[in-house]
Amino acid sequence: MGRRRGVMSDQLKEELAKELGFHDVVQKEGWGGIRARDAGNMVKRAIEMAERQLAEKNNE
């Protein structure tokens, strides 16, 4: 089986890492170096952003 493609763009992941305060860890150790809690918070934040965009689109 092929590798699963990421849903989030690299740019979005970088922005979320900066916003959530663990971008320095990503730069030093790569994405494998972040804690599970940080990864979960990143996904949660991305979902919140997507939901907000959908709500705004539906209100147009």
Side-chain angles (χ1 to χ4, degrees), residues 1-59:
M1 291 181 82
R3 280 187 58 189
R4 194 168 154 241
R5 289 201 49 189
V7 176
M8 286 191 267
S9 70
D10 288 341
Q11 182 180 353
L12 176 58
K13 289 193 290 191
E14 297 274 339
E15 288 176 23
L16 291 171
K18 287 175 187 171
E19 182 179 320
L20 297 170
F22 56 87
H23 190 254
D24 56 332
V25 175
V26 174
Q27 287 190 313
K28 284 184 213 161
E29 304 176 33
W31 290 105
I34 68 173
R35 298 178 318 196
R37 170 180 275 168
D38 290 333
N41 287 338
M42 191 169 77
V43 171
K44 183 178 175 184
R45 182 76 179 103
I47 291 169
E48 289 170 356
M49 291 169 67
E51 287 175 340
R52 189 176 327 112
Q53 287 176 345
L54 261 177
E56 288 172 5
K57 188 176 181 183
N58 288 337
N59 288 332

